[in-house]
Amino acid sequence: IAELGALTTDKSGMPLTRISNPCDFCKLILGSAEGRQACLDSWGKLAGQEEAAPEFISCHAGLQYARAIIEVGGELIAMLVAGQFYVEQPDPEVEEMRLQSLAQKYRIDYELLAQAAKQISVLDERKVPQITGWLERVAHTFEQFGAERADLMHRLRQIAAMSKIS
């Protein structure tokens, strides 16, 4: 949906799911142990945001990400993270320096990284608010699933307690 990569993390930013629709650029970064750790750190930074509403931030590799919180019973249990795009076309000189730095830092072939970077989506200003709305709707759907599951588990425990033979 919306040409984004998305994943669900725990409340500290550790992945609970695989990334859906990862771009080739991010696959290369995640393929490096150092790059994967930098992604984990970026997701952890999203977890530390104080605002409840999704806000886009730049990750360690220069791409945009946002998160929506998932709460059940008023408790933060997870986050939905989406991103892997630019909000504007990067300056070619700055982009080349950034890619060279990333390739060296994460030991990735520069040519492969540069090719993959050409495929990163550039979203226009109208799509960004749509994405934050989408993130919140999907997170609320997860919240409903979680609340229904918690209610079902509570009822099952009550049934189990009532059916015990003393």
mmCIF file of all heavy atoms in Angstrom, residues 72-101:
data_model
loop_
_atom_site.group_PDB
_atom_site.id
_atom_site.type_symbol
_atom_site.label_atom_id
_atom_site.label_comp_id
_atom_site.label_asym_id
_atom_site.label_seq_id
_atom_site.Cartn_x
_atom_site.Cartn_y
_atom_site.Cartn_z
ATOM 1 N N VAL A 72 -3.490 -1.419 23.758
ATOM 2 C CA VAL A 72 -4.590 -2.293 24.145
ATOM 3 C C VAL A 72 -4.812 -2.061 25.628
ATOM 4 O O VAL A 72 -3.870 -2.143 26.424
ATOM 5 C CB VAL A 72 -4.290 -3.782 23.854
ATOM 6 C CG1 VAL A 72 -5.403 -4.675 24.395
ATOM 7 C CG2 VAL A 72 -4.116 -4.009 22.361
ATOM 8 N N GLY A 73 -6.035 -1.726 25.968
ATOM 9 C CA GLY A 73 -6.362 -1.449 27.364
ATOM 10 C C GLY A 73 -5.601 -0.255 27.905
ATOM 11 O O GLY A 73 -5.240 -0.236 29.069
ATOM 12 N N GLY A 74 -5.307 0.718 27.049
ATOM 13 C CA GLY A 74 -4.579 1.911 27.464
ATOM 14 C C GLY A 74 -3.084 1.723 27.611
ATOM 15 O O GLY A 74 -2.369 2.639 27.998
ATOM 16 N N GLU A 75 -2.587 0.540 27.280
ATOM 17 C CA GLU A 75 -1.155 0.253 27.409
ATOM 18 C C GLU A 75 -0.520 0.141 26.030
ATOM 19 O O GLU A 75 -1.026 -0.579 25.154
ATOM 20 C CB GLU A 75 -0.950 -1.060 28.172
ATOM 21 C CG GLU A 75 0.501 -1.429 28.346
ATOM 22 C CD GLU A 75 0.701 -2.784 29.003
ATOM 23 O OE1 GLU A 75 -0.259 -3.341 29.566
ATOM 24 O OE2 GLU A 75 1.823 -3.301 28.930
ATOM 25 N N LEU A 76 0.592 0.837 25.826
ATOM 26 C CA LEU A 76 1.350 0.748 24.581
ATOM 27 C C LEU A 76 1.940 -0.653 24.482
ATOM 28 O O LEU A 76 2.674 -1.082 25.379
ATOM 29 C CB LEU A 76 2.472 1.787 24.554
ATOM 30 C CG LEU A 76 3.466 1.688 23.406
ATOM 31 C CD1 LEU A 76 2.783 1.956 22.068
ATOM 32 C CD2 LEU A 76 4.606 2.669 23.608
ATOM 33 N N ILE A 77 1.587 -1.376 23.407
ATOM 34 C CA ILE A 77 2.112 -2.734 23.253
ATOM 35 C C ILE A 77 2.987 -2.898 22.013
ATOM 36 O O ILE A 77 3.814 -3.791 21.956
ATOM 37 C CB ILE A 77 0.985 -3.790 23.233
ATOM 38 C CG1 ILE A 77 0.023 -3.542 22.083
ATOM 39 C CG2 ILE A 77 0.263 -3.832 24.556
ATOM 40 C CD1 ILE A 77 -0.827 -4.734 21.760
ATOM 41 N N ALA A 78 2.779 -2.035 21.007
ATOM 42 C CA ALA A 78 3.537 -2.186 19.767
ATOM 43 C C ALA A 78 3.447 -0.898 18.955
ATOM 44 O O ALA A 78 2.742 0.042 19.328
ATOM 45 C CB ALA A 78 2.998 -3.368 18.949
ATOM 46 N N MET A 79 4.168 -0.893 17.830
ATOM 47 C CA MET A 79 4.130 0.233 16.898
ATOM 48 C C MET A 79 4.048 -0.309 15.471
ATOM 49 O O MET A 79 4.620 -1.354 15.174
ATOM 50 C CB MET A 79 5.402 1.076 16.996
ATOM 51 C CG MET A 79 5.679 1.702 18.323
ATOM 52 S SD MET A 79 7.134 2.787 18.283
ATOM 53 C CE MET A 79 8.375 1.806 17.455
ATOM 54 N N LEU A 80 3.365 0.432 14.645
ATOM 55 C CA LEU A 80 3.368 0.172 13.213
ATOM 56 C C LEU A 80 4.294 1.215 12.606
ATOM 57 O O LEU A 80 4.081 2.415 12.791
ATOM 58 C CB LEU A 80 1.958 0.287 12.638
ATOM 59 C CG LEU A 80 1.840 0.078 11.138
ATOM 60 C CD1 LEU A 80 2.275 -1.334 10.746
ATOM 61 C CD2 LEU A 80 0.412 0.318 10.689
ATOM 62 N N VAL A 81 5.340 0.765 11.930
ATOM 63 C CA VAL A 81 6.348 1.650 11.349
ATOM 64 C C VAL A 81 6.237 1.552 9.830
ATOM 65 O O VAL A 81 6.174 0.453 9.278
ATOM 66 C CB VAL A 81 7.766 1.239 11.806
ATOM 67 C CG1 VAL A 81 8.823 2.100 11.150
ATOM 68 C CG2 VAL A 81 7.883 1.298 13.328
ATOM 69 N N ALA A 82 6.215 2.699 9.167
ATOM 70 C CA ALA A 82 6.153 2.719 7.703
ATOM 71 C C ALA A 82 7.089 3.791 7.172
ATOM 72 O O ALA A 82 7.302 4.818 7.822
ATOM 73 C CB ALA A 82 4.729 2.982 7.221
ATOM 74 N N GLY A 83 7.631 3.547 6.009
ATOM 75 C CA GLY A 83 8.531 4.540 5.431
ATOM 76 C C GLY A 83 9.231 4.062 4.191
ATOM 77 O O GLY A 83 8.649 3.374 3.360
ATOM 78 N N GLN A 84 10.515 4.428 4.108
ATOM 79 C CA GLN A 84 11.383 4.111 2.972
ATOM 80 C C GLN A 84 11.074 4.972 1.762
ATOM 81 O O GLN A 84 10.936 4.478 0.646
ATOM 82 C CB GLN A 84 11.320 2.627 2.609
ATOM 83 C CG GLN A 84 11.704 1.701 3.719
ATOM 84 C CD GLN A 84 11.680 0.238 3.313
ATOM 85 O OE1 GLN A 84 11.256 -0.134 2.229
ATOM 86 N NE2 GLN A 84 12.156 -0.606 4.198
ATOM 87 N N PHE A 85 11.000 6.287 1.961
ATOM 88 C CA PHE A 85 10.764 7.199 0.850
ATOM 89 C C PHE A 85 11.419 8.539 1.140
ATOM 90 O O PHE A 85 11.879 8.796 2.249
ATOM 91 C CB PHE A 85 9.262 7.383 0.587
ATOM 92 C CG PHE A 85 8.529 8.096 1.683
ATOM 93 C CD1 PHE A 85 8.391 9.469 1.681
ATOM 94 C CD2 PHE A 85 7.974 7.382 2.733
ATOM 95 C CE1 PHE A 85 7.723 10.116 2.699
ATOM 96 C CE2 PHE A 85 7.293 8.020 3.748
ATOM 97 C CZ PHE A 85 7.173 9.401 3.739
ATOM 98 N N TYR A 86 11.456 9.387 0.117
ATOM 99 C CA TYR A 86 11.903 10.776 0.257
ATOM 100 C C TYR A 86 10.679 11.681 0.148
ATOM 101 O O TYR A 86 9.732 11.346 -0.570
ATOM 102 C CB TYR A 86 12.849 11.170 -0.884
ATOM 103 C CG TYR A 86 14.164 10.438 -0.935
ATOM 104 C CD1 TYR A 86 14.572 9.811 -2.112
ATOM 105 C CD2 TYR A 86 15.032 10.412 0.158
ATOM 106 C CE1 TYR A 86 15.796 9.168 -2.199
ATOM 107 C CE2 TYR A 86 16.258 9.765 0.073
ATOM 108 C CZ TYR A 86 16.631 9.151 -1.100
ATOM 109 O OH TYR A 86 17.831 8.514 -1.191
ATOM 110 N N VAL A 87 10.708 12.826 0.827
ATOM 111 C CA VAL A 87 9.636 13.809 0.654
ATOM 112 C C VAL A 87 9.977 14.789 -0.458
ATOM 113 O O VAL A 87 9.103 15.491 -0.951
ATOM 114 C CB VAL A 87 9.306 14.576 1.953
ATOM 115 C CG1 VAL A 87 8.615 13.671 2.948
ATOM 116 C CG2 VAL A 87 10.522 15.222 2.551
ATOM 117 N N GLU A 88 11.239 14.846 -0.832
ATOM 118 C CA GLU A 88 11.655 15.629 -2.000
ATOM 119 C C GLU A 88 12.883 14.983 -2.605
ATOM 120 O O GLU A 88 13.618 14.262 -1.918
ATOM 121 C CB GLU A 88 11.935 17.085 -1.634
ATOM 122 C CG GLU A 88 12.988 17.272 -0.575
ATOM 123 C CD GLU A 88 13.143 18.731 -0.166
ATOM 124 O OE1 GLU A 88 12.132 19.435 -0.047
ATOM 125 O OE2 GLU A 88 14.293 19.145 0.042
ATOM 126 N N GLN A 89 13.059 15.213 -3.876
ATOM 127 C CA GLN A 89 14.197 14.622 -4.584
ATOM 128 C C GLN A 89 15.488 15.139 -3.952
ATOM 129 O O GLN A 89 15.666 16.345 -3.808
ATOM 130 C CB GLN A 89 14.145 15.011 -6.064
ATOM 131 C CG GLN A 89 15.102 14.255 -6.946
ATOM 132 C CD GLN A 89 14.736 12.771 -7.028
ATOM 133 O OE1 GLN A 89 13.594 12.406 -7.184
ATOM 134 N NE2 GLN A 89 15.737 11.925 -6.920
ATOM 135 N N PRO A 90 16.378 14.246 -3.528
ATOM 136 C CA PRO A 90 17.619 14.708 -2.902
ATOM 137 C C PRO A 90 18.544 15.392 -3.907
ATOM 138 O O PRO A 90 18.529 15.076 -5.101
ATOM 139 C CB PRO A 90 18.259 13.436 -2.358
ATOM 140 C CG PRO A 90 17.529 12.299 -2.946
ATOM 141 C CD PRO A 90 16.262 12.804 -3.544
ATOM 142 N N ASP A 91 19.320 16.325 -3.401
ATOM 143 C CA ASP A 91 20.341 16.998 -4.217
ATOM 144 C C ASP A 91 21.341 15.935 -4.675
ATOM 145 O O ASP A 91 21.843 15.158 -3.848
ATOM 146 C CB ASP A 91 21.034 18.062 -3.370
ATOM 147 C CG ASP A 91 22.173 18.717 -4.111
ATOM 148 O OD1 ASP A 91 21.908 19.696 -4.844
ATOM 149 O OD2 ASP A 91 23.331 18.245 -3.959
ATOM 150 N N PRO A 92 21.648 15.871 -5.986
ATOM 151 C CA PRO A 92 22.521 14.799 -6.500
ATOM 152 C C PRO A 92 23.897 14.741 -5.837
ATOM 153 O O PRO A 92 24.401 13.651 -5.562
ATOM 154 C CB PRO A 92 22.649 15.113 -7.989
ATOM 155 C CG PRO A 92 21.444 15.935 -8.306
ATOM 156 C CD PRO A 92 21.115 16.699 -7.070
ATOM 157 N N GLU A 93 24.518 15.888 -5.581
ATOM 158 C CA GLU A 93 25.846 15.886 -4.962
ATOM 159 C C GLU A 93 25.782 15.392 -3.514
ATOM 160 O O GLU A 93 26.607 14.590 -3.080
ATOM 161 C CB GLU A 93 26.460 17.276 -5.012
ATOM 162 C CG GLU A 93 26.863 17.714 -6.407
ATOM 163 C CD GLU A 93 27.433 19.118 -6.428
ATOM 164 O OE1 GLU A 93 27.901 19.607 -5.371
ATOM 165 O OE2 GLU A 93 27.414 19.726 -7.510
ATOM 166 N N VAL A 94 24.790 15.865 -2.784
ATOM 167 C CA VAL A 94 24.619 15.448 -1.393
ATOM 168 C C VAL A 94 24.280 13.962 -1.345
ATOM 169 O O VAL A 94 24.806 13.221 -0.512
ATOM 170 C CB VAL A 94 23.515 16.288 -0.699
ATOM 171 C CG1 VAL A 94 23.205 15.762 0.694
ATOM 172 C CG2 VAL A 94 23.924 17.753 -0.648
ATOM 173 N N GLU A 95 23.434 13.524 -2.268
ATOM 174 C CA GLU A 95 23.043 12.111 -2.338
ATOM 175 C C GLU A 95 24.249 11.220 -2.612
ATOM 176 O O GLU A 95 24.426 10.175 -1.976
ATOM 177 C CB GLU A 95 21.980 11.925 -3.431
ATOM 178 C CG GLU A 95 21.586 10.497 -3.694
ATOM 179 C CD GLU A 95 20.557 9.966 -2.721
ATOM 180 O OE1 GLU A 95 20.367 10.558 -1.655
ATOM 181 O OE2 GLU A 95 19.942 8.936 -3.030
ATOM 182 N N GLU A 96 25.110 11.636 -3.533
ATOM 183 C CA GLU A 96 26.283 10.831 -3.853
ATOM 184 C C GLU A 96 27.200 10.705 -2.642
ATOM 185 O O GLU A 96 27.680 9.611 -2.326
ATOM 186 C CB GLU A 96 27.053 11.429 -5.031
ATOM 187 C CG GLU A 96 28.237 10.567 -5.432
ATOM 188 C CD GLU A 96 28.970 11.087 -6.653
ATOM 189 O OE1 GLU A 96 28.419 11.895 -7.398
ATOM 190 O OE2 GLU A 96 30.117 10.650 -6.830
ATOM 191 N N MET A 97 27.415 11.799 -1.932
ATOM 192 C CA MET A 97 28.270 11.749 -0.736
ATOM 193 C C MET A 97 27.646 10.864 0.340
ATOM 194 O O MET A 97 28.340 10.083 0.997
ATOM 195 C CB MET A 97 28.510 13.163 -0.196
ATOM 196 C CG MET A 97 29.423 13.969 -1.085
ATOM 197 S SD MET A 97 29.771 15.683 -0.577
ATOM 198 C CE MET A 97 29.105 15.859 1.032
ATOM 199 N N ARG A 98 26.338 10.972 0.509
ATOM 200 C CA ARG A 98 25.635 10.156 1.502
ATOM 201 C C ARG A 98 25.746 8.671 1.147
ATOM 202 O O ARG A 98 26.034 7.833 2.004
ATOM 203 C CB ARG A 98 24.168 10.574 1.596
ATOM 204 C CG ARG A 98 23.372 9.834 2.668
ATOM 205 C CD ARG A 98 21.945 10.348 2.755
ATOM 206 N NE ARG A 98 21.193 10.136 1.534
ATOM 207 C CZ ARG A 98 20.602 8.986 1.207
ATOM 208 N NH1 ARG A 98 20.651 7.967 2.024
ATOM 209 N NH2 ARG A 98 19.956 8.869 0.071
ATOM 210 N N LEU A 99 25.538 8.350 -0.121
ATOM 211 C CA LEU A 99 25.624 6.952 -0.558
ATOM 212 C C LEU A 99 27.029 6.394 -0.407
ATOM 213 O O LEU A 99 27.203 5.241 0.003
ATOM 214 C CB LEU A 99 25.142 6.822 -2.004
ATOM 215 C CG LEU A 99 23.657 7.098 -2.239
ATOM 216 C CD1 LEU A 99 23.336 7.067 -3.727
ATOM 217 C CD2 LEU A 99 22.791 6.122 -1.464
ATOM 218 N N GLN A 100 28.037 7.197 -0.727
ATOM 219 C CA GLN A 100 29.421 6.748 -0.551
ATOM 220 C C GLN A 100 29.718 6.475 0.916
ATOM 221 O O GLN A 100 30.343 5.467 1.252
ATOM 222 C CB GLN A 100 30.401 7.775 -1.119
ATOM 223 C CG GLN A 100 30.423 7.799 -2.620
ATOM 224 C CD GLN A 100 31.340 8.881 -3.177
ATOM 225 O OE1 GLN A 100 31.878 9.707 -2.454
ATOM 226 N NE2 GLN A 100 31.499 8.879 -4.492
ATOM 227 N N SER A 101 29.238 7.360 1.775
ATOM 228 C CA SER A 101 29.437 7.184 3.209
ATOM 229 C C SER A 101 28.741 5.923 3.716
ATOM 230 O O SER A 101 29.325 5.133 4.466
ATOM 231 C CB SER A 101 28.911 8.417 3.957
ATOM 232 O OG SER A 101 28.958 8.208 5.341
#
